[in-house]
Each structure stands twice: as C-alpha cells, then as structure tokens.
Amino acid sequence: MHAPRPTSAQAGAFGRPEQVAGSFAGDRPPPAPRPVPPPPPEALLRAFGPPAPGRSGLQEPPGGRPGRRRTATGPWWKADARVDPWRDPSSPAGLGAPAVYDDEDSQPGPVVFDPRGRRKVRLRDLSVRLTTLVVLGLLVVGILGGGVGWYLTRTADEAPLFTPGTTLAQVEPRGTGERSPVSDIAEAVIPAVVSIEVRVGQAGATGSGVVIDGENGYIVTNNHVISGADGVEGAEIRAVFSDGSGSAARIVGRDPASDLAVIKVEKPGLVTAELGRSGDVVVGDPVVAIGSPLGLAGTVTSGIVSALDRPVRLSGEGTDTNAVISAVQTDAPINPGNSGGALVDASGALVGINTAIASTGAGGSIGLGFAIPVDTMKRIVEQLIATGSAVHATLGVNARSVTDGTRDGALVLNVEPGSPASQAGIREEDVIIAVDETPVGSSEELSVAVDARQPGDVVTVELVRGGSSRTVEVTLGAA
C-alpha cells in the first residue's frame, strides 16, 4: 500500500526547498561549546578522591591501616568480621527484610518517657494475659464484697419500732407571758360573728354576718350573700354561731345599692358587736378581720387600715348588687366567705363590714380588702330594720370617668328626664369636676359624693362645658 502523493499546496507548505539537500540548512550555526569545570582542589582530591587501583571502600587512614590483632576485645578474630560494616569499613553493606510478627496486635508500640526520664507504663503496653487476670481479680473482689454486705443486712437485728415511755422535752416560754392583743379581740368578738349558709335547690353558698342586735336577733351581712334566696320557694338561710349551734334565718331587708342586708333569727341571748365610729379610724390603725373564709368559721386575720374613702364599684357577681362604696381599705387577709364579716379596731369595736377583695384572677387575697364603713352600715341598717328598704340621694345622671391629661372628671352620658340634674340645667357631655368643692375625678367618686348626702340636700355642682367651667345648684332627689 502506497501513501498518496501530496498535493501541490501541501508540497509548497511542507516540502524541502530545492536548494537544500539535507534535513537542515547548511548555514545553521554550530552549538556553543560547553564550559569545562575547573579541577577540584588538591585537599579535596586527597580526602574524597577514589582509592588507588585495586582497592575498594574508604581510603586508608594516614600512616596506613594498623595491623590486624586477634585479641579477645578486638573484632577481627570473628568469622563474620569481613561482612560486618561496623567492623570493616570496606565490607559490603545491604538491607535485610523487615521484622515479621505473628500477631499484629503484639507489635511493640513506642516507648513513652516522663519528664524525669522514667518510662511510663500504659494499659495497652500490658499483655492480654495480665490484663485478663486484673479484670478477673476485680470481679472476684466485687462479688465477695456484695455477698458480705447482703449477708450482714439479712442477719443484723432490726431496731424496735416502738419505745414505751418516750417523752418529748418542752422549753419554757421566752416571752413575758402576756397575751397578744389580737387574742383578746378574737375572744371578745368571735361570739358576735356568725357563718351564713344559703341553699337554693341543689346549689349552696356561704358567707359571714355580724350580730348587731342580740336582743331581737338582727344580723347584718352583704346583699350578695343572701340575695339569691330572696323570694325563691324552698330556699333556706341558716345562721351558725361560734358555739356550733344554728338557727334558721329570714330576710328583713336588703339594699343592692349599698350591698347591705339584714336577716333575723329567733335565738335569744346573742352576743352583740360593739359599734365604733368611722371618724375615729385613721390610716395605719391595726384592725382584725373575723369571718368564715372558704367556709372556715371563726377565722381571724389581722392587718392595718391601708386607706380610707376608697371608691370601689361592686358588681355583685351574679346578684342584683350594683353599688359604689366609699370603702375602708385593709391589708388584713380577706377571702371569699369573709363577705359580711366583721372588721374591728384594736379595742374590738366594729369599724366596717368586709365586702370585697382585689384579686389578680386566682380569687385569693393579695393584701387589698375593702369594707363598708360602720357609719354607712348603721345608716342603711336602721332603715332596713324600720321599713325593709333604704333610701339614697340621687342626682339623676349616668356618667363615666374621663380625663384630658391635666384634669379628671365624670362625663355625663345622659340625664334622666325630670331628675334633679335636668331641673338644674345639667346637660349631656358636661364634665362634673366637683360637688360642694369636693373634687370629683371619676364616676365612682361622683356616686360616693352624692350618696354621702340625704335626699333633699342642696349641693353645688361644678362642671365644665364647652371649655369653660360653671357651677349649678342641685336639690338631690331620692332613689
């Protein structure tokens, strides 16, 4: 098979020029001569030069090789001296095969030394046989120790469970031996405080009450305690006294506007609570609360008067109570069931009827309890005992609390037609800011200020209308 002939184009591009006979042009410049290194110094030739002809290995030391001696300490008497490079520098040298171990795990590891040059013994340096012996020894010791402990616990005698004739020592009183004032107060007042049990069908409730007229069997309590039984057929109200005896009770009268009520029992010889005066109570006075919180009759707690004339709105919690009271605030613990119970001062005189608590939602005491002042209680109860109902002064407006950032007041939402406010010219959207020069900062304060008066009293009401203030005189009505 012959190669194809090149085309004229290929021959022109890759062919040999006609004037060139060989592979390369004849006028190609010759290569540059290589530099010849200078000979080594004579000293290097004598030290490192090749040995004389017929000799191998290193050169002879200066002065020639010493004669061979066959002594006990000399190496040249042994048969392998000529092949030992450490004995004969001129002997041949070579590498042997690597060491072979039967077990890969038995290969020796690196030797470790401590800073003082002593060899460290590690667990992996120990043999398998020694390690097995150590482990077996530990197991035997553990089994023996556990067996001995179990045997001792099984055979040891137990201490006797009972010790006849045992007496416990008591220390002598460290105090003066005087009784606490609260003890004297509780002893005097507890007989005048009763537990009130209300049953309507299958439902029941408990509260507290205070005997205010032991001769006639009158007991004051809160309206929301007994209102659910009023007018309900088959409902029962029962008063339970401190000696454990009980008596059925009847409703004398109740007042949802003040959350007060009076019941009557047919039981002679009741202990009557002594009534104090609201004007004698000051903030910081010690007080004692007595009642039946959570159904626990005769419970006594103590504290102080935290504030006076605190406007508090009472919702009634499912009853018809709708009241705003000017309360005595106390930090004596009060809980559900204390309602209607006594709040007494350091002399044991009644200064309030426990009515409400402030709570964070759990329903328990957080140190904010409220009581109806004794003067208010006396005024309402006397009306209930006399007529079965109570009369309150009224202005005839509905209001809510407002503020403009600098002044608070009660915004009039609506005015009842023909009411005292309507007759005095009070209009809707007026803001009442004072009653008889007593500042009014909320709708609750307005209710308290009006309720403190009697029907027919003439009061001066200051209000703001259209950005300017004015005063009007109002003759309070009755409700």
Side-chain angles (χ1 to χ4, degrees):
M1 184 176 180
H2 300 282
R5 297 180 63 85
T7 62
S8 58
Q10 293 175 343
F14 301 100
R16 180 184 297 113
E18 296 180 355
Q19 64 273 19
V20 177
S23 301
F24 299 97
D27 56 351
R28 183 169 179 262
R34 295 183 179 180
V36 178
E42 184 65 23
L44 295 179
L45 288 174
R46 288 197 304 270
F48 301 101
R55 299 291 301 273
S56 63
L58 299 177
Q59 297 185 56
E60 296 292 339
R65 182 185 298 273
R68 297 181 178 180
R69 292 180 300 173
R70 293 182 179 272
T71 62
T73 58
W76 300 108
W77 64 268
K78 294 184 179 181
D80 62 344
R82 301 190 64 83
V83 297
D84 188 350
W86 299 104
R87 297 187 180 94
D88 186 5
S90 62
S91 64
L95 296 177
V100 178
Y101 298 92
D102 296 335
D103 186 2
E104 183 179 357
D105 295 336
S106 64
Q107 296 184 13
V111 179
V112 181
F113 298 90
D114 62 14
R116 299 181 62 181
R118 295 175 299 184
R119 181 178 177 179
K120 293 183 177 179
V121 179
R122 299 172 296 179
L123 183 60
R124 64 181 182 181
D125 296 333
L126 301 177
S127 64
V128 176
R129 182 176 302 173
L130 180 58
T131 304
T132 303
L133 291 176
V134 172
V135 173
L136 289 177
L138 293 176
L139 290 176
V140 171
V141 172
I143 293 173
L144 290 177
V148 171
W150 174 83
Y151 176 76
L152 292 177
T153 56
R154 295 283 295 179
T155 58
D157 294 335
E158 293 184 355
L161 184 61
F162 302 103
T163 305
T166 299
T167 58
L168 302 179
Q170 291 180 300
V171 299
E172 296 295 329
R174 295 187 178 89
T176 60
E178 297 180 358
R179 297 180 58 184
S180 167
V182 176
S183 301
D184 296 332
I185 296 172
E187 183 179 12
V189 179
I190 284 179
V193 180
V194 303
S195 296
I196 298 177
E197 300 175 353
V198 180
R199 180 169 297 279
V200 180
Q202 300 298 321
T206 61
S208 304
V210 181
V211 178
I212 53 175
D213 186 347
E215 182 177 352
N216 296 302
Y218 289 119
I219 299 172
V220 62
T221 186
N222 284 134
N223 174 70
H224 71 263
V225 173
I226 55 89
S227 61
D230 189 14
V232 178
E233 185 177 356
E236 298 179 0
I237 301 176
R238 183 176 178 83
V240 180
F241 303 93
S242 60
D243 60 1
S245 61
S247 179
R250 296 176 295 161
I251 297 176
V252 176
R254 58 189 188 90
D255 180 32
S258 64
D259 198 21
L260 288 171
V262 176
I263 60 176
K264 181 179 175 63
V265 296
E266 304 299 331
K267 184 176 177 66
L270 298 179
V271 176
T272 303
E274 297 181 353
L275 304 186
R277 298 179 182 275
S278 298
D280 296 336
V281 180
V282 297
V283 174
D285 279 351
V287 288
V288 175
I290 304 175
S292 302
L294 308 177
L296 305 175
T299 298
V300 178
T301 57
S302 63
I304 62 170
V305 174
S306 303
L308 294 172
D309 302 324
R310 179 77 72 192
V312 177
R313 184 175 295 277
L314 307 177
S315 62
E317 298 181 355
T319 71
D320 59 353
T321 296
N322 184 20
V324 178
I325 63 174
S326 179
V328 178
Q329 180 179 319
T330 178
D331 67 348
I334 296 174
N335 290 279
N338 272 114
S339 295
L343 185 70
V344 299
D345 61 14
S347 68
L350 186 70
V351 296
I353 299 298
N354 298 321
T355 300
I357 61 174
S359 175
T360 58
S365 173
I366 59 172
L368 294 175
F370 305 99
I372 300 173
V374 64
D375 286 2
T376 301
M377 182 275 295
K378 181 176 180 296
R379 173 169 57 88
I380 299 299
V381 165
E382 288 175 348
Q383 296 181 57
L384 294 178
I385 294 176
T387 64
S389 61
V391 178
H392 297 268
T394 181
L395 186 62
V397 298
N398 292 325
R400 67 177 177 88
S401 303
V402 293
T403 182
D404 61 1
T406 58
R407 177 179 290 183
D408 302 331
L411 173 66
V412 177
L413 298 178
N414 59 70
V415 180
E416 297 177 8
S419 65
S422 176
Q423 296 176 3
I426 297 177
R427 305 176 186 174
E428 295 179 0
E429 298 186 359
D430 287 346
V431 178
I432 299 175
I433 58 175
V435 174
D436 280 345
E437 299 183 354
T438 300
V440 172
S442 64
S443 60
E444 289 80 10
E445 291 184 3
L446 175 61
S447 298
V448 168
V450 173
D451 191 61
R453 274 72 176 176
Q454 298 293 330
D457 289 349
V458 178
V459 297
T460 301
V461 176
E462 183 179 0
L463 54 87
V464 176
R465 178 186 299 168
S468 59
S469 63
R470 64 185 65 190
T471 58
V472 296
E473 290 188 349
V474 182
T475 301
L476 298 178

